[in-house]
């Protein structure tokens, strides 16, 4: 299945005996389709003019159409990466983080941004990251963009936010039809209490983006710290409402159980009537808080309709890291408890080959496989695929992203695996990525393209 010629060349064709996780069939499992022990449906898929023209039980597709028989192998939609940092990606070689911890990541990123992040540098690295994601089978990405007021070295200043957002708009136009792109402004939320914060909100609105930022820990449930974050969040939500912007925040990315800004965000969401329009990423400290406190916060998050993105590979890499000491916890949010309370939860890739995470390749299938193991999203495995498919697709307002639905674009990943266990067990370099009904031929870009060198093969 590694050769694109596996698929018929016809305008309309069928994929016979495809095994599709029911979580991806948001229009419902076709009546009469057999479900296996993993909750996967054995179906035939009819593709016509680049769209899904029919989903039906295996053996019921029109015999007149040319067919490819998948023999029970897995078929997934292209996946959704709901939280990335395309502007930071692929900087680790030139500006490493020697200790691999969060303070080192912050300092290395500031140094790299100050020295290098002009339009040409951003364009080259963002395009490289998108090419990787496309080749691996990602169909939609939401990226956070560092949106500081200024950047550049002394004597060569630049308006960093304007530069980064301009390059993002270029990338969104250049990749239209291949990857759907959204962007979020990333800055400490203190910025929104300044004149610059209003200008940034205008820039975000003019770019069809989302307002976002990094919350600071409240230091507990009471006192001046809580009053301060409440005031900052009120300012942020006020700017969002004035411009009709959704909100996406970095929240409590720390192992300090006293960090409780997630609860403050939930309260602000309810206070401003912004239910269903707020996404919170990370939420790591929630996993370390006393059970009663965490349960109360989770209940408020559910009441506020907040969506939570967990970043399993990056948070496991960063959290509880101390030189010479083995980490004692996995660094991730309590996603099983959040899902049990009805909170929409997604997994996403986050950073890639930068100071916050030295590895990765913008491969959401790899992220799903890692998430299953890190978060124990197995036994059964049936629900795991949705966390990188229809759940983030709906959060991004893209009803067809991460789904197989009649009338939707025929965007697929064909996998050389028959069961969800086989999906998780192997990296699947032999996958076929299909966009609008046709297999893509774009290879993964060579690393030499980041530095303008010629690849040896």
């Amino acid at each position: 299945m590694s050769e694109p010629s596996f698929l018929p060349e016809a305008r309309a064709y069928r994929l016979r005996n495809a095994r599709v996780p029911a979580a991806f069939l948001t229009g419902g499992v076709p009546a009469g389709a057999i479900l296996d022990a993993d909750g996967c449906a054995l179906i035939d898929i009819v593709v016509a003019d680049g769209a899904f023209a029919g989903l039906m039980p295996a053996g019921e597709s029109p015999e007149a159409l040319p067919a490819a028989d998948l023999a029970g192998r897995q078929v997934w939609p292209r996946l959704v990466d709901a939280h990335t940092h395309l502007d930071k990606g692929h900087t680790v070689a030139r500006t490493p983080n020697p200790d691999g911890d969060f303070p080192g990541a912050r300092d290395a990123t500031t140094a790299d941004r100050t020295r290098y992040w002009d339009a040409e540098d951003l364009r080259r690295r963002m395009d490289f990251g998108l090419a990787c994601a496309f080749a691996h089978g990602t169909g939609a990405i939401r990226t956070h963009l560092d949106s500081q007021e200024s950047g550049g070295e002394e004597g060569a200043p630049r308006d960093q936010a304007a530069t980064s957002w301009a390059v993002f708009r270029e990338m969104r136009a250049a990749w239209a039809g291949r990857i759907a792109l959204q962007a979020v402004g990333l800055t400490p939320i203190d910025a929104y209490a300044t004149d610059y914060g209003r200008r940034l909100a205008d820039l975000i609105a003019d770019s069809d983006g989302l307002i976002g930022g990094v919350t600071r820990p409240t230091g507990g449930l009471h006192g001046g710290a809580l009053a301060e974050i409440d005031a900052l969040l009120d300012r942020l939500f006020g700017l969002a409402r004035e411009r009709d912007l959704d909100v996406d925040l970095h929240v409590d990315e720390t192992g300090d159980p006293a960090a409780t800004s997630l609860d403050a965000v939930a309260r602000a969401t309810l206070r401003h009537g912004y239910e269903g329009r707020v996404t919170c990423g990370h939420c790591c400290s929630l996993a370390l808080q006393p059970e009663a406190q965490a349960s109360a916060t989770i209940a408020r998050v559910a009441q506020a309709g907040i969506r939570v993105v967990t970043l399993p590979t990056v948070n496991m890499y960063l959290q509880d890291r101390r030189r010479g000491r083995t980490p004692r916890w996995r660094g991730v949010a309590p996603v099983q408890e959040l899902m049990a309370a009805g909170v929409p939860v997604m997994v996403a890739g986050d950073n890639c080959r930068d100071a916050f995470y030295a590895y990765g390749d913008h491969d959401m299938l790899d992220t799903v496989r890692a998430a299953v193991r890190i978060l124990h999203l197995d036994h059964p495995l049936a629900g795991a695929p949705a966390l990188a498919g229809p759940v983030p697709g709906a959060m991004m307002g893209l009803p067809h992203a991460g789904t197989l639905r009649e009338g939707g674009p025929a965007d697929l990943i064909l996998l050389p695996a028959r069961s969800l266990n086989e999906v998780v067990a192997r990296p699947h370099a032999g996958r076929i990525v299909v966009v609008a009904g046709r297999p893509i031929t774009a290879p993964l870009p060579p690393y030499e393209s980041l530095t303008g060198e010629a690849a040896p093969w």
Side-chain angles (χ1 to χ4, degrees), residues 23-167:
F24 292 135
L25 296 167
T26 55
V29 175
I34 296 172
L35 287 175
D36 65 16
D38 285 336
C40 298
L42 193 64
I43 65 173
D44 287 356
I45 301 170
V46 176
V47 175
D49 297 320
F52 295 122
L55 306 172
M56 59 211 67
E60 295 189 11
S61 56
E63 291 288 338
L65 291 177
D69 189 351
L70 298 181
R73 285 184 163 188
Q74 292 272 321
V75 174
W76 287 29
R78 289 201 297 157
L79 298 176
V80 179
D81 195 347
H83 182 127
T84 65
H85 293 268
L86 292 173
D87 57 346
K88 290 184 175 74
H90 308 285
T91 56
V92 70
R94 70 189 185 194
T95 313
N97 175 4
D99 293 325
D101 60 9
F102 195 95
R106 183 188 56 223
D107 294 346
T109 298
T110 298
D112 192 83
R113 183 176 59 240
T114 300
R115 183 173 182 183
Y116 294 110
W117 290 22
D118 59 18
E120 181 181 355
D121 177 69
L122 287 163
R123 191 179 295 117
R124 180 174 60 253
R125 291 185 294 100
M126 290 175 72
D127 193 66
F128 181 91
L130 289 165
C132 294
F134 183 67
H136 285 307
T138 296
I141 289 175
R142 176 179 287 183
T143 183
H144 296 255
L145 299 176
D146 282 20
S147 297
Q148 284 73 14
E149 185 172 9
S150 62
E153 296 179 305
E154 186 175 350
R158 78 177 77 92
D159 185 333
Q160 189 62 64
T163 300
S164 296
W165 279 89
V167 173

Side-chain angles (χ1 to χ4, degrees), residues 278-306:
V278 178
T279 301
C280 291
H282 300 289
C283 308
C284 305
S285 65
L286 185 65
L288 299 179
Q289 290 166 4
E291 187 170 345
Q293 179 185 346
S295 295
T297 296
I298 289 170
R300 206 165 353 260
V301 167
Q303 180 186 4
I306 291 173

Side-chain angles (χ1 to χ4, degrees), residues 118-350:
D118 59 18
E120 181 181 355
D121 177 69
L122 287 163
R123 191 179 295 117
R124 180 174 60 253
R125 291 185 294 100
M126 290 175 72
D127 193 66
F128 181 91
L130 289 165
C132 294
F134 183 67
H136 285 307
T138 296
I141 289 175
R142 176 179 287 183
T143 183
H144 296 255
L145 299 176
D146 282 20
S147 297
Q148 284 73 14
E149 185 172 9
S150 62
E153 296 179 305
E154 186 175 350
R158 78 177 77 92
D159 185 333
Q160 189 62 64
T163 300
S164 296
W165 279 89
V167 173
F168 168 76
R169 292 191 298 269
E170 283 183 41
M171 293 295 103
R172 184 172 57 192
W175 283 88
R178 293 179 289 171
I179 297 178
L181 286 174
Q182 294 179 354
V184 185
L186 180 60
T187 185
I189 63 169
D190 306 60
Y192 294 110
T194 68
D195 288 341
Y196 172 69
R198 177 171 289 278
R199 296 198 303 274
L200 175 59
D202 288 338
L203 172 62
I204 292 168
D206 291 343
S207 302
D208 298 318
L210 294 90
I211 199 166
V214 182
T215 63
R216 56 164 87 168
T218 63
L221 293 175
H222 305 289
L226 183 58
E228 184 177 8
I229 195 173
D230 282 347
L232 291 171
L233 288 169
D234 286 344
R235 173 68 171 174
L236 183 152
F237 276 91
L239 293 170
R241 180 171 293 285
E242 287 172 3
R243 293 155 183 80
D244 194 26
L245 299 175
D246 282 5
V247 175
D248 193 330
L249 297 167
H250 282 58
V251 176
D252 295 336
E253 191 178 3
T254 174
D256 181 359
T260 58
S261 56
L262 178 60
D263 191 67
V265 173
R267 292 173 184 272
T269 301
L270 293 167
R271 194 162 61 244
H272 290 271
Y274 240 60
E275 293 90 338
R277 300 190 64 178
V278 178
T279 301
C280 291
H282 300 289
C283 308
C284 305
S285 65
L286 185 65
L288 299 179
Q289 290 166 4
E291 187 170 345
Q293 179 185 346
S295 295
T297 296
I298 289 170
R300 206 165 353 260
V301 167
Q303 180 186 4
I306 291 173
R307 294 77 60 100
V308 171
V309 187
T310 185
L311 299 313
T313 52
V314 176
N315 281 142
M316 190 169 71
Y317 174 87
L318 278 177
Q319 298 302 311
D320 202 22
R321 180 186 281 266
R322 302 181 202 172
R323 186 177 291 277
R325 172 186 176 274
T326 304
R328 302 295 193 261
W329 74 297
R330 300 188 181 200
V332 292
V335 298
Q336 296 191 42
E337 293 83 348
L338 287 159
M339 289 190 289
V343 176
V345 173
M346 298 149 270
V347 299
D350 205 11

